[in-house]
Amino acid sequence: MSSGPLDGSAAPKLPGAPSRRRRRPKPPPTAYNRSSSSTIELPAGHAAQVFPVGSSTGFIGEAFSMDSLEFMRWAAVRYDSDRFVLVVLFHLMGSQKPGGLIEAKHEDVAKALGYSRPHISRVFNVLETDGALRRVQRGLYQLNPAASLRGGLREPQKGEKKRSKAGMGDRVEQLDLLREIMEDPDAPEAFRAMAAPGAKLEVRKESDGEGKATS
């Protein structure tokens, strides 16, 4: 007795078993470039679902912060002998807007932390020299996105043109922002060096003669 369809049509073919041959993993990217291809290959017997990325609300401060743990470890060693730098740095990390922008003058930070303006100005100079902070204009600074980045929707600055895609172009994405910095001729060299792909944060430590390591 035939087990095929009664109408005489050919029986549907079942999907073949997934291939057991392992595919070579793609090498990690060496620069901040996006792939232009929109095709994704899936093994036989597998499916994928596409859905929009969740919004960056509902987190602390209503924005998702991607803070580099490697940078925090580096900063703990770098500023161990000058821990007031860490106090100001943490304040700036928590004060940033999407894209790492901080709208504050030295006196504003001094008032918020309860210190004098010269103390804050010194720390700003240290962070700018090390490439963690960049002065965009008077009263406007930017934290290096390789060190700390607050994601979300960024409002265009005065004179800045909006992106072509409405609703998407103003969303801050870390790799896009890093690439913009590397292509910005006005970005300070130390700032670009920290934002560069594969940047290494190294601190040499020496003893002060009492068993205390200093950078």
Side-chain angles (χ1 to χ4, degrees):
M1 181 181 291
S2 174
S3 59
L6 297 178
D7 59 1
S9 62
K13 294 183 179 180
L14 297 177
S19 174
R20 295 182 177 274
R21 186 178 64 180
R22 293 184 178 180
R23 301 192 179 194
R24 293 183 179 180
K26 294 183 179 180
T30 56
Y32 304 130
N33 294 322
R34 289 170 168 263
S35 174
S36 59
S37 175
S38 59
T39 303
I40 300 176
E41 294 183 3
L42 296 175
H46 289 71
Q49 182 180 6
V50 179
F51 54 89
V53 178
S55 94
S56 60
T57 58
F59 296 90
I60 297 177
E62 297 185 351
F64 176 69
S65 295
M66 295 182 291
D67 300 328
S68 168
L69 301 181
E70 181 67 21
F71 170 78
M72 296 174 77
R73 183 173 66 175
W74 170 83
V77 177
R78 176 81 174 184
Y79 306 123
D80 179 51
S81 59
D82 191 0
R83 298 188 179 183
F84 184 61
V85 177
L86 292 176
V87 173
V88 178
L89 177 61
F90 289 163
H91 177 80
L92 295 177
M93 291 172 70
S95 303
Q96 61 180 314
K97 295 184 177 183
L101 293 175
I102 303 167
E103 295 180 357
K105 299 179 181 179
H106 292 192
E107 50 264 30
D108 298 332
V109 179
K111 183 178 181 181
L113 296 177
Y115 286 86
S116 66
R117 185 182 182 280
H119 282 81
I120 303 301
S121 298
R122 181 188 67 82
V123 172
F124 269 61
N125 290 333
V126 170
L127 294 175
E128 289 181 56
T129 300
D130 287 345
L133 187 69
R134 173 188 181 186
R135 182 181 183 273
V136 180
Q137 61 187 43
R138 178 175 173 80
L140 184 63
Y141 293 85
Q142 181 187 26
L143 275 170
N144 199 314
S148 172
L149 176 69
R150 169 160 286 182
L153 294 177
R154 176 178 57 183
E155 296 182 1
Q157 301 296 314
K158 292 182 179 179
E160 181 182 359
K161 295 182 179 179
K162 289 188 176 182
R163 311 280 181 166
S164 56
K165 295 183 179 180
M168 295 182 60
D170 292 333
R171 181 171 294 279
V172 176
E173 297 189 19
Q174 192 175 35
L175 295 183
D176 289 341
L177 190 57
L178 287 166
R179 185 173 64 249
E180 289 178 9
I181 290 173
M182 298 306 299
E183 296 174 354
D184 184 2
D186 296 329
E189 185 61 32
F191 196 81
R192 293 176 61 191
M194 182 176 288
K200 296 185 180 298
L201 305 176
E202 299 179 357
V203 177
R204 292 181 300 174
K205 302 194 69 177
E206 301 175 354
S207 174
D208 60 359
E210 299 179 358
K212 175 68 174 178
T214 60
S215 59

